Amino acid sequence: MKQQLVLSVEGYTKAFSLHEQGTVIPSAKDVDLQVYSASLTALVGPTGAGKSSILKGIYRTYLATSGQLFYTMQSGQQVDLVQADEHLILTLRRNEIGFVTQFLHFLPRQSTELVVAQPLIQRGRPVEEALAVARDMLAAMNLPRRLWSISPATFSGGEKQRVNLARGLVARPRLLLLDEPTASLDPITCERVIRQIEELKKEGIAMLAIFHQPELVKRIADRVVELEPPLNGQTQLEDIA
Ligand SMILES: Nc1ncnc2c1ncn2[C@@H]1O[C@H](COP(=O)(O)OP(=O)(O)OP(=O)(O)O)[C@@H](O)[C@H]1O
């Protein structure tokens, strides 16, 4: 399958100004990277290097301090995710860009299968059909059947991670962001996730994923972007004013 450029990150920089403390926390600094369809770009580097901050910038949970995030939409039109208006960002989140984070967001008393089916329902799939896809994915993620009809509120970290993955994977976005997708999984489930990632590649999906395990990166990454260690210390706000 021909790989096409889906996302080009150019000079992405993020720093957090903590005005009350009068300091600036540097995060990602001048990062360039590309993500192509039908492939996985791995983001590696030490703790605090800004890996999660880059994913959050692409998903627009964070606003970049500087730099550009050129995303090529399904329509072929290119948009800078730093500048795009809120409405477009919400549309892209619903239809094109998915994010599997370390945290599971869900409404109280919502069943696990409904949490997973949600991205499909939001796109207009009939509820029963969406639930059937969700159940298949929960089975693929090795989540015990007895947990499907209850809320994930009381789930263990590994169980929540499986629900998160199932939700991200059913959506089949064009660009999938994965923040340590296998971090709290047992080896069998980890293998299943790897199989799913291979499947996503075959379907043409572009992925940008943070990993801490070098052997995993070697196995599934098509490109590797290594971030520099974070700068030492903090900058006083007046130093950069
Ligand atoms: N909302 C925030 N407010 C202030 N500082 C933040 C915020 N989010 C991240 N940071 C800081 O930015 C730096 C980079 O954080 P980030 O989570 O992106 O690192 P990371 O490379 O993903 O680390 P890890 O491998 O430990 O997950 C850290 O020093 C962190 O404390």
Side-chain angles (χ1 to χ4, degrees):
M1 186 181 287
K2 192 166 176 288
Q3 296 185 355
Q4 286 171 330
L5 185 64
V6 170
L7 178 76
S8 181
V9 172
E10 299 181 12
Y12 179 83
T13 298
K14 178 69 186 165
F16 298 93
S17 302
L18 305 182
H19 289 278
E20 277 175 23
Q21 284 105 313
T23 57
V24 173
I25 309 281
S27 179
K29 183 144 187 347
D30 211 12
V31 176
D32 293 330
L33 64 87
Q34 283 77 40
V35 187
Y36 291 84
S37 59
S39 73
L40 185 142
T41 299
L43 205 47
V44 301
T47 285
K51 303 180 294 297
S52 297
S53 299
I54 294 173
L55 298 195
K56 287 176 185 165
I58 296 165
Y59 202 62
R60 260 281 282 279
T61 313
Y62 289 166
L63 206 53
T65 303
S66 61
Q68 279 131 355
L69 300 166
F70 293 115
Y71 172 70
T72 307
M73 297 192 282
Q74 176 91 54
S75 63
Q77 194 190 331
Q78 201 183 57
V79 60
D80 180 0
L81 298 172
V82 178
Q83 306 291 342
D85 66 49
E86 281 298 310
H87 179 72
L88 178 59
I89 292 292
L90 293 178
T91 305
L92 289 174
R93 285 183 185 178
R94 189 173 60 238
N95 299 325
E96 301 199 19
I97 304 178
F99 192 4
V100 176
T101 66
Q102 302 272 16
F103 303 98
L104 180 60
H105 302 284
F106 53 90
L107 296 173
R109 289 186 294 278
Q110 205 173 32
S111 71
T112 293
E113 55 192 18
L114 201 54
V115 169
V116 173
Q118 221 38 254
L120 297 175
I121 296 168
Q122 278 169 6
R123 283 195 212 159
R125 282 279 278 276
V127 175
E128 272 316 313
E129 212 179 292
L131 282 171
V133 178
R135 289 179 198 123
D136 283 349
M137 191 55 82
L138 284 167
M141 289 296 105
N142 228 359
L143 189 83
R145 193 175 285 266
R146 66 187 148 78
L147 299 178
W148 297 0
S149 60
I150 62 171
S151 159
T154 53
F155 286 7
S156 72
E159 287 165 350
K160 280 189 181 146
Q161 176 85 339
R162 291 170 205 210
V163 178
N164 243 342
L165 278 160
R167 186 182 157 105
L169 294 169
V170 292
R172 291 326 211 217
R174 287 188 71 239
L175 171 65
L176 182 58
L177 310 168
L178 298 152
D179 193 347
E180 297 189 53
T182 55
S184 40
L185 300 180
D186 58 72
I188 292 172
T189 314
C190 187
E191 274 307 313
R192 290 187 175 207
V193 173
I194 292 169
R195 240 179 286 154
Q196 282 288 331
I197 287 176
E198 296 295 356
E199 194 51 46
L200 295 179
K201 279 192 204 177
K202 283 190 204 142
E203 292 176 25
I205 292 169
M207 284 169 277
L208 177 61
I210 298 173
F211 286 111
H212 278 293
Q213 308 98 312
E215 66 291 347
L216 211 57
V217 172
K218 221 167 149 186
R219 212 173 133 192
I220 56 174
D222 301 277
R223 290 169 191 81
V224 181
V225 177
E226 188 154 6
L227 294 192
E228 300 285 319
L231 297 172
N232 280 329
Q234 303 168 353
T235 311
Q236 297 303 306
L237 267 182
E238 57 266 29
D239 293 343
I240 58 159

